[in-house]
Amino acid sequence: MFSSVAHLARANPFNAPHLQLVHDGLAGPRSSPAGPPGPPRRSRHLAAAAVEEQYSCDYGSGRFFILCGLGGIISCGTTHTALVPLDLVKCRMQVDPQKYKGIFNGFSVTLKEDGVRGLAKGWAPTFIGYSMQGLCKFGFYEVFKVLYSNMLGEENTYLWRTSLYLAASASAEFFADIALAPMEAAKVRIQTQPGYANTLRDAAPKMYKEEGLKAFYKGVAPLWMRQIPYTMMKFACFERTVEALYKFVVPKPRSECSKAEQLVVTFVAGYIAGVFCAVVSHPADSVVSVLNKEKGSSASQVLQRLGFKGVWKGLFARIIMIGTLTALQWFIYDSVKVYFRLPRPPPPEMPESLKKKLGLTQ
């Protein structure tokens, strides 16, 4: 067990290519004494692998991207909506920490004031907004991953795969947040301003009348601050954690694992990624919550007023929410791929051409 943990620690997902080759024992002929050649390993590109399974479409085709976007809608829309009560309490803790002093106290106060129905406030903008965000986040991630991989070429795709994951996810999230911003603004008003509005139909016209379109998009820059680092961590950490789990923890190759076993690995890797996501994105999340509640405030003014300690209020609730959320999202997204028989490339292996350059094959 401890040797597996040590391997995982050394296989840190943000290693430089050379260090990763050293950890893989592939730095060159001088990195290890000569020995009998092992069994040949089949080369796999990051974006494709030769497998026996019959797929419903080709990797990188239009149908593939459309169904990935549908998977994003299902995974993000359903999970965020299911966690509306926890999100509501977390937002209220951020904007009024004197009244909502903790996660359990927050639930108690909310139930006393609004009843059980009050915990569902903001479900409509949450479902619509995060469905649109999921469409762009997962759909565009697959698009940009293929695009950047083709630009880099097979060898550099393998060597710089973590950078590729980071760049593709950041590019996708830029557009995803533009789609999310209007509904996020309405959701925060409904959840954190008692008496302002109880439904999206009440909140949206009122916000437009008071501030125009600015009311819906003034939080987009803080959203980028929160969501782009979150998504970069979510995708890069997930991809490299899956790779590490199959390499050091799972006792058999991925090709020999059943679909159910593969989905368990997906869930575990998703939860690990989610914990890191919550910590990275929480300060900006606090700023967004306060900014969308107040009129006329800027992100810098809110940040200055909250201070270092204030931006970390509600972190425990966010870790629970985002850890569970991220794990479920990856599980549902991967399940959608399985259901529609979409290509699901295995963890990448070093291309044969790169092995020859390093003198690892004859």
Side-chain angles (χ1 to χ4, degrees), residues 61-77:
S61 65
R63 176 181 168 83
F64 174 80
F65 293 135
I66 290 170
L67 290 176
C68 285
L70 176 61
I73 290 173
I74 295 170
S75 67
C76 290

Side-chain angles (χ1 to χ4, degrees), residues 83-161:
L83 291 174
V84 160
L86 186 59
D87 184 47
L88 180 146
V89 172
K90 183 262 302 176
C91 285
R92 290 185 173 184
M93 287 168 59
Q94 290 171 331
V95 300
D96 193 355
Q98 300 301 318
K99 183 176 181 180
Y100 303 93
K101 298 176 182 179
I103 183 169
F104 298 110
N105 175 261
F107 271 107
S108 177
V109 172
T110 301
L111 285 169
K112 286 179 181 177
E113 292 184 347
D114 302 327
V116 175
R117 291 185 64 183
L119 292 174
K121 276 189 174 181
W123 74 267
T126 297
F127 178 74
I128 297 169
Y130 283 94
S131 293
M132 293 302 98
Q133 189 207 38
L135 169 67
C136 298
K137 185 197 296 274
F138 284 94
F140 285 166
Y141 173 71
E142 300 288 357
V143 171
F144 284 116
K145 191 164 70 166
V146 170
L147 176 65
Y148 295 157
S149 178
N150 291 338
M151 291 168 62
L152 288 171
E154 186 179 28
E155 293 179 5
N156 285 326
T157 289
Y158 175 79
L159 290 172
W160 295 97
R161 57 195 183 279

Side-chain angles (χ1 to χ4, degrees), residues 21-36:
L21 292 177
V22 172
H23 290 160
D24 291 344
L26 300 172
R30 293 178 295 176
S31 63
S32 60

Side-chain angles (χ1 to χ4, degrees), residues 4 11 24 27 35 41 59 97 135 137 149 166 185 231 251 335 339-340 358:
S4 296
D24 291 344
R41 300 176 73 186
Y59 185 92
L135 169 67
K137 185 197 296 274
S149 178
L166 292 168
T231 302
S335 297
Y339 178 79
F340 286 110
L358 295 171

Side-chain angles (χ1 to χ4, degrees), residues 305-333:
R305 187 166 70 254
L306 288 175
F308 180 80
K309 187 176 179 180
V311 297
W312 295 105
K313 286 281 187 182
L315 177 61
F316 178 67
R318 185 166 171 78
I319 286 175
I320 295 172
M321 186 180 86
I322 297 300
T324 307
L325 191 76
T326 306
L328 288 173
Q329 284 178 357
W330 277 115
F331 182 84
I332 293 170
Y333 180 66

Side-chain angles (χ1 to χ4, degrees), residues 48-351:
V51 290
E52 299 173 359
E53 187 176 350
Q54 291 294 316
Y55 295 128
S56 64
C57 61
D58 293 329
Y59 185 92
S61 65
R63 176 181 168 83
F64 174 80
F65 293 135
I66 290 170
L67 290 176
C68 285
L70 176 61
I73 290 173
I74 295 170
S75 67
C76 290
T78 55
T79 52
H80 277 279
T81 305
L83 291 174
V84 160
L86 186 59
D87 184 47
L88 180 146
V89 172
K90 183 262 302 176
C91 285
R92 290 185 173 184
M93 287 168 59
Q94 290 171 331
V95 300
D96 193 355
Q98 300 301 318
K99 183 176 181 180
Y100 303 93
K101 298 176 182 179
I103 183 169
F104 298 110
N105 175 261
F107 271 107
S108 177
V109 172
T110 301
L111 285 169
K112 286 179 181 177
E113 292 184 347
D114 302 327
V116 175
R117 291 185 64 183
L119 292 174
K121 276 189 174 181
W123 74 267
T126 297
F127 178 74
I128 297 169
Y130 283 94
S131 293
M132 293 302 98
Q133 189 207 38
L135 169 67
C136 298
K137 185 197 296 274
F138 284 94
F140 285 166
Y141 173 71
E142 300 288 357
V143 171
F144 284 116
K145 191 164 70 166
V146 170
L147 176 65
Y148 295 157
S149 178
N150 291 338
M151 291 168 62
L152 288 171
E154 186 179 28
E155 293 179 5
N156 285 326
T157 289
Y158 175 79
L159 290 172
W160 295 97
R161 57 195 183 279
T162 302
S163 299
L164 184 149
Y165 302 145
L166 292 168
S169 56
S171 301
E173 189 60 37
F174 176 84
F175 296 101
D177 289 340
I178 295 174
L180 170 64
M183 294 296 104
E184 179 73 2
K187 182 204 75 169
V188 172
R189 290 285 183 95
I190 293 169
Q191 290 182 338
T192 62
Q193 288 189 247
Y196 184 83
N198 289 322
T199 66
L200 177 61
R201 286 178 297 177
D202 295 335
K206 193 171 183 179
M207 291 169 64
Y208 183 77
K209 184 177 180 180
E210 291 175 351
E211 300 181 66
L213 285 176
K214 181 184 176 183
F216 299 100
Y217 286 100
K218 70 177 183 179
V220 72
L223 262 181
W224 283 328
M225 291 167 53
R226 179 187 82 183
Q227 290 296 128
I228 290 178
Y230 163 85
T231 302
M232 291 170 73
M233 181 66 73
K234 174 178 181 173
F235 283 86
C237 187
F238 171 81
E239 298 267 21
R240 294 307 299 264
T241 301
V242 167
E243 188 178 334
L245 288 174
Y246 279 116
K247 189 171 186 179
F248 301 115
V249 178
V250 179
K252 55 185 177 181
R254 180 183 182 270
S255 58
E256 297 177 13
C257 295
S258 66
K259 290 292 191 295
E261 290 170 335
Q262 292 175 16
L263 290 173
V264 169
V265 173
T266 295
F267 184 85
V268 172
Y271 211 103
I272 293 170
V275 172
F276 288 102
C277 290
V279 176
V280 165
S281 62
H282 190 72
D285 182 64
S286 298
V287 173
V288 170
S289 295
V290 176
L291 189 65
N292 281 324
K293 178 190 175 186
E294 298 179 353
K295 299 177 186 177
S297 296
S298 66
S300 58
Q301 290 171 336
V302 171
L303 185 61
Q304 186 176 13
R305 187 166 70 254
L306 288 175
F308 180 80
K309 187 176 179 180
V311 297
W312 295 105
K313 286 281 187 182
L315 177 61
F316 178 67
R318 185 166 171 78
I319 286 175
I320 295 172
M321 186 180 86
I322 297 300
T324 307
L325 191 76
T326 306
L328 288 173
Q329 284 178 357
W330 277 115
F331 182 84
I332 293 170
Y333 180 66
D334 219 19
S335 297
V336 170
K337 282 187 168 183
V338 169
Y339 178 79
F340 286 110
R341 294 185 294 109
L342 300 183
R344 298 163 59 241
E349 291 183 6
M350 180 178 288

